Amino acid sequence: MRRLVFDLSYRFGAAPWDSGIAPPELVAFVETERARPGRAIDLGCGTGTSVIYLARHGWQGVGVDYSRAAIAAAHRRASGDDAKARTRFLVADATDLPDLGLPFDLALDVGCLQSIPTGRRPPYAEGLAARLRPGATFLLHAFLPAPGRPGIAQREVESLFSEFALVRVEPGLGRPSARYRFQRR
């Protein structure tokens, strides 16, 4: 049911969470910190905004989303972009990622993990850890729990990513949320 809701939202342009603007924590990582380009994965990539942004900055980007409509939109957006050769988009479940080749240097999740049912979160974390090289950065932005809304508590996030060092956590903007930065051990 959840997948259908996301597909319909993307298909009919009613996905307010997909702003078309690269998240500020990603922009800061790439532009302010001058992170050296490598391979990146965006989990729950939506219409590909962050993957295209990364490709424009020299990264090889892979975006995964379980919404076929979102991935179709990502392909359309990338097709007219000079960075298309450095992007790849896949319909895939973030809790059961396919083999994606070489390990990644950067992982990004802006709002995917919080929507995953609690019992599927450990496979997500294990699959991500297996696909990141040691020293890789993981940027996570997730809503905190609220009545009637999906969210994930900081202690659960820290427990799920015990194979990572928590570099920092900051409050997000708007609705109570947190921005995490991890480094793969």
Side-chain angles (χ1 to χ4, degrees), residues 76-165:
R76 284 191 301 276
R77 288 183 71 198
S79 69
D81 198 284
D82 292 339
K84 181 185 187 312
R86 290 188 299 277
T87 63
R88 180 177 168 204
F89 296 101
L90 304 165
V91 175
D93 185 333
T95 68
D96 187 22
L97 292 171
D99 179 9
L100 298 168
L102 297 172
F104 292 94
D105 304 293
L106 172 66
L108 176 68
D109 175 337
V110 179
C112 179
L113 177 62
Q114 72 202 15
S115 297
I116 295 172
T118 305
R120 298 294 304 150
R121 291 174 179 172
Y124 167 102
E126 292 161 10
L128 178 60
R131 284 159 180 83
L132 294 180
R133 69 165 180 75
T137 297
F138 174 40
L139 302 175
L140 170 67
H141 187 176
F143 288 126
L144 299 172
R149 295 184 171 181
I152 185 168
Q154 182 175 340
R155 67 184 169 280
E156 182 182 354
V157 169
E158 290 178 17
S159 176
L160 281 170
F161 299 103
S162 60
E163 294 186 41
F164 294 74

Side-chain angles (χ1 to χ4, degrees), residues 17-28:
W17 57 84
D18 196 27
S19 68
I21 300 169
E25 58 269 35
L26 178 62
V27 173

Side-chain angles (χ1 to χ4, degrees), residues 10 17-23 26 40-56 61-65 67-79 81 83-84 86-90 108:
Y10 283 111
W17 57 84
D18 196 27
S19 68
I21 300 169
L26 178 62
I41 184 169
D42 183 1
L43 301 160
C45 71
T47 60
T49 299
S50 295
V51 174
I52 293 168
Y53 168 84
L54 285 163
R56 288 177 183 159
V62 175
V64 296
D65 202 297
S67 168
R68 289 190 185 286
I71 293 299
H75 281 291
R76 284 191 301 276
R77 288 183 71 198
S79 69
D81 198 284
K84 181 185 187 312
R86 290 188 299 277
T87 63
R88 180 177 168 204
F89 296 101
L90 304 165
L108 176 68

